[in-house]
Amino acid sequence: MLSTNNLPINDELDALVVGAGFSGLYQLYQLRKLGSSVKLFESGSDVGGVWYWNCYPGARVDSETPSYEFSLPELWKDWRWTQRFPDRNELHSYLQYVGEKLDLKKDIVFNTRVTAARFDPDTDRWTVTTEQGTIVRPRFLVLAVGSASKPYIPDLPGLVNFQGILHHTAKWPQGGVDMKGKRVGVIGTGSTGVQVISKIGSKVKHLTVFQRLPAIVLPQINSKVDDEKHARMRELSPLIYRHRRQTASGHTVHSFPLDTFSVSSEERQLLWEELWSRGGLNFCGDNFKDMMVNQEANNEVYAFWRNKILARFDDPVMQEKLAPQVAPYPFAAKKPVMDDNYYKVLSQTNVDLVDVRKTPIQEVTRKGILTSDGVEYEVDILVIACGFDGATGGITQIDIRGLDGASIKDKWTKGVYTNLGMTTANFPNMFIVYGPQSPSILSNAPTTIEIQCAWITTCIEYLKNNRLTRIEATREAEDKWRDLTMSVAGGTLFSKAESWWNGANIPGKAVEPLYFAGGIPYYASILQEQEKNGYPNFTLSTHGQTAATIGSGNKYTTNQ
């Protein structure tokens, strides 16, 4: 028995879960129901995952309640949301509630970062090492580190020379940062940057925003959840949970069942006005069904959005910076950004918007940022809001080595290979939740997480019941899954945007679709087929003695 943080640990666990966010907590709960010996290692000091670390000003989810919660009756019946789109503090409180209500914390080891994992083919176990020196040997390793757990900081010349306060939004101090009366610079205008800018704009002395590409910001229209709304929400909750599994995104929104140009211009405008007035994901999710596959249709949506933004500014320079005549990327091909205050803040006299495509950042100085036109923007606080090494970064930053000793980082250098977005050849008994080549961030997190964790749990139960000690994806299966992932994404406009959704934001990273764009119902049907047929496309064995090698006769198809 080992001990970490005064929590005794059997070093030969049935399973180890890494990460205490939505996916890790749910997976821990499901595996404990099997009677398994399971622990969870979390590098932070509390549960929450991304909602523990992302405590920057303005942090808020863009998924609507009650879609953004677990469907377990023992959880939702006693929980009350106060906002349509909860902020970070309320989300963190919810995940703390989940940990307490399900009594999960007794099996969680906090302040424990996993640094390495090696698979031992002689014992069919993983040897997992932490930064603190703890070593455990679980049969199964479940990586629940999420798609946004490795922050990206661009290689800006002179960054180390900056003498002011410097923070990446994903590593924001838990106690916050006092910005009142300060000169602040924000690099990045994705979802995080927009939220920070919107929140601090009225508090700081001066704000300088460094923008590479304009964000396409939609109205969120947040609101309080009063007693009447809460009662109605809970009356409909079971129906909502079932419905979200029937939509492509796992939200309660779903595309309008007609093509853009199959209706008159007037009908298009009326639909768009209606969706705009609803706020949230409605304008993206409930739009015409060909919006993400027809460039001409997508251009029409962009034009509608652009007119909305142009009406907010009189200055033609600001208009072109924020809503250029030519779309910088297809509408919704990047993560939708929702906020109700962003454009108002940018119109303030204490805010400067710097287009770094025209005047690139030359270097970070002791006092601020120098751009190529010779202007030095002096700031007291510099905020890096440049996102993440998405999908793979949280996994590859751990030194994970499989059967042949090669690392997962090396395997994925030229492109990601998984089977079902949850397993990968040469790394037996390792499962990934909410990771690459799964619906992940293209979907509502709790929807995908519940589906994947249930599948993993049933798979492990099957192995235990049949006295099998190893499961490994075949290379043929992961080749087919990669082909399917690429094929589905290739029929959309997602690949035409440079973003962390396809790795284009990380220098040297293979640029490719990183997530499965086939939708939740199609994805779930494939998982069900695998489960029903005894896990074809995997090799199952007991200490080296193969029980079944199936895969050559099972192909993933693009029929939806």
Side-chain angles (χ1 to χ4, degrees):
M1 299 286 286
L2 302 174
S3 179
T4 300
N5 295 352
N6 299 317
L7 179 64
I9 302 172
N10 181 345
D11 64 339
E12 289 206 344
L13 298 166
D14 289 330
L16 175 69
V17 180
V18 182
F22 265 94
S23 54
L25 294 179
Y26 196 78
Q27 188 65 79
L28 175 60
Y29 167 75
Q30 291 290 346
L31 289 175
R32 278 204 331 202
K33 288 169 60 178
L34 295 181
S36 302
S37 59
V38 55
K39 297 295 179 187
L40 186 153
F41 285 178
E42 163 59 43
S43 60
S45 61
D46 199 357
V47 300
V50 68
W51 297 117
Y52 169 80
W53 296 107
N54 284 2
C55 57
Y56 59 83
R60 184 181 301 277
V61 72
D62 51 20
S63 296
E64 194 167 347
T65 56
S67 287
Y68 198 71
E69 68 179 1
F70 292 126
S71 64
L72 298 173
E74 57 264 49
L75 291 176
W76 65 261
K77 285 185 176 180
D78 294 327
W79 178 259
R80 174 166 182 162
W81 296 105
T82 67
Q83 304 169 79
R84 181 187 180 192
F85 299 97
D87 62 18
R88 178 268 177 183
N89 289 340
E90 186 166 13
L91 291 163
H92 186 215
S93 295
Y94 171 71
L95 290 168
Q96 288 178 314
Y97 162 79
V98 170
E100 294 168 2
K101 190 76 171 180
L102 301 180
D103 195 22
L104 299 178
K105 289 189 177 182
K106 67 181 181 182
D107 289 316
I108 301 177
V109 185
F110 294 107
N111 302 305
T112 302
R113 180 177 294 277
V114 171
T115 55
R118 305 284 190 279
F119 187 75
D120 181 358
D122 294 329
T123 62
D124 285 347
R125 288 184 176 275
W126 285 92
T127 299
V128 180
T129 306
T130 72
E131 196 171 55
Q132 293 73 19
T134 304
I135 298 175
V136 293
R137 298 175 179 82
R139 174 79 67 207
F140 302 102
L141 176 63
V142 183
L143 300 176
V145 298
S147 282
S149 57
K150 185 180 180 182
Y152 170 60
I153 299 178
D155 186 16
L156 298 173
L159 188 62
V160 296
N161 299 324
F162 181 61
Q163 297 297 300
I165 297 172
L166 171 68
H167 292 295
H168 190 288
T169 49
K171 293 186 176 181
W172 204 258
Q174 293 292 318
V177 178
D178 183 10
M179 295 189 175
K180 188 175 182 180
K182 305 289 186 179
R183 299 170 301 172
V184 179
V186 178
I187 301 176
T189 54
S191 291
T192 298
V194 166
Q195 289 180 334
V196 171
I197 292 161
S198 179
K199 186 69 174 180
I200 70 174
S202 62
K203 301 176 183 178
V204 302
K205 179 180 180 181
H206 192 273
L207 176 61
T208 306
V209 177
F210 297 90
Q211 169 189 284
R212 185 176 65 88
L213 290 174
I216 294 179
V217 182
L218 303 173
Q220 187 165 62
I221 312 182
N222 198 13
S223 60
K224 298 292 184 181
V225 177
D226 58 21
D227 291 346
E228 183 179 352
K229 287 181 179 179
H230 171 73
R232 183 63 172 161
M233 177 190 296
R234 287 318 180 200
E235 179 184 347
L236 296 176
S237 287
L239 186 64
I240 290 171
Y241 303 140
R242 293 195 299 272
H243 177 57
R244 71 185 186 184
R245 287 187 175 225
Q246 299 165 1
T247 69
S249 66
H251 295 276
T252 53
V253 298
H254 51 84
S255 59
F256 193 72
L258 296 175
D259 287 338
T260 304
F261 298 110
S262 68
V263 301
S264 67
S265 173
E266 291 77 13
E267 188 170 348
R268 289 197 297 272
Q269 293 292 320
L270 287 172
L271 175 64
W272 289 336
E273 289 289 354
E274 168 63 20
L275 298 180
W276 188 268
S277 69
R278 294 181 196 171
L281 288 169
N282 289 282
F283 192 78
C284 286
D286 285 345
N287 220 303
F288 291 99
K289 66 183 179 70
D290 62 342
M291 182 184 77
M292 292 309 298
V293 297
N294 182 329
Q295 184 64 68
E296 188 177 354
N298 194 277
N299 291 342
E300 288 289 303
V301 178
Y302 176 79
F304 175 89
W305 170 85
R306 181 173 183 263
N307 287 334
K308 290 287 189 182
I309 307 309
L310 293 182
R312 301 180 66 106
F313 296 90
D314 296 324
D315 180 6
V317 175
M318 282 293 286
Q319 288 179 329
E320 186 61 20
K321 281 183 179 180
L322 294 170
Q325 185 172 1
V326 178
Y329 46 85
F331 187 91
K334 284 190 170 188
K335 186 179 186 299
V337 181
M338 280 162 282
D339 194 88
D340 296 325
N341 200 43
Y342 180 63
Y343 294 113
K344 179 180 178 182
V345 167
L346 291 182
S347 66
Q348 294 174 186
T349 57
N350 69 326
V351 178
D352 287 329
L353 179 63
V354 181
D355 185 347
V356 298
R357 291 175 302 172
K358 293 184 177 180
T359 56
I361 295 175
Q362 185 170 314
E363 67 172 316
V364 179
T365 68
R366 294 176 68 254
K367 296 181 179 181
I369 290 181
L370 178 67
T371 50
S372 62
D373 56 354
V375 177
E376 183 178 22
Y377 298 89
E378 295 188 2
V379 297
D380 305 305
I381 300 173
L382 187 57
V383 179
I384 307 294
C386 296
F388 303 88
D389 181 355
T392 60
I395 298 168
T396 59
Q397 69 180 346
I398 304 171
D399 184 16
I400 304 173
R401 297 183 181 270
L403 286 170
D404 61 4
S407 70
I408 191 75
K409 182 177 182 179
D410 289 340
K411 176 177 179 177
W412 287 351
T413 296
K414 296 182 180 180
V416 177
Y417 287 80
T418 76
N419 186 24
L420 306 176
M422 287 190 286
T423 64
T424 185
N426 195 51
F427 295 82
N429 294 1
M430 185 177 82
F431 299 96
I432 303 167
V433 185
Y434 206 63
Q437 296 184 349
S438 78
S440 191
I441 62 168
L442 298 183
S443 68
N444 180 41
T447 308
T448 294
I449 287 166
E450 289 190 350
I451 290 170
Q452 289 188 314
C453 289
W455 189 89
I456 292 169
T457 303
T458 302
C459 178
I460 290 176
E461 182 178 29
Y462 176 88
L463 296 171
K464 293 179 69 174
N465 289 345
N466 289 277
R467 299 182 180 180
L468 297 164
T469 59
R470 184 193 297 186
I471 181 170
E472 180 187 359
T474 66
R475 294 189 183 276
E476 180 184 11
E478 67 177 12
D479 285 343
K480 292 173 182 174
W481 186 256
R482 176 180 169 84
D483 289 346
L484 178 59
T485 300
M486 300 300 131
S487 174
V488 171
T492 72
L493 300 176
F494 286 116
S495 61
K496 292 189 176 183
E498 295 181 356
S499 77
W500 66 286
W501 282 8
N502 58 20
N505 64 318
I506 305 298
K509 187 170 182 174
V511 178
E512 61 181 4
L514 289 172
Y515 302 102
F516 182 75
I520 292 293
Y522 180 37
Y523 182 72
S525 70
I526 294 173
L527 299 190
Q528 290 167 3
E529 181 183 359
Q530 290 287 302
E531 184 179 304
K532 181 179 67 175
N533 294 324
Y535 306 96
N537 299 323
F538 289 90
T539 299
L540 311 181
S541 62
T542 300
H543 298 303
Q545 296 183 353
T546 302
T549 304
I550 309 174
S552 58
N554 290 271
K555 298 181 179 180
Y556 301 122
T557 68
T558 56
N559 295 328
Q560 298 184 49

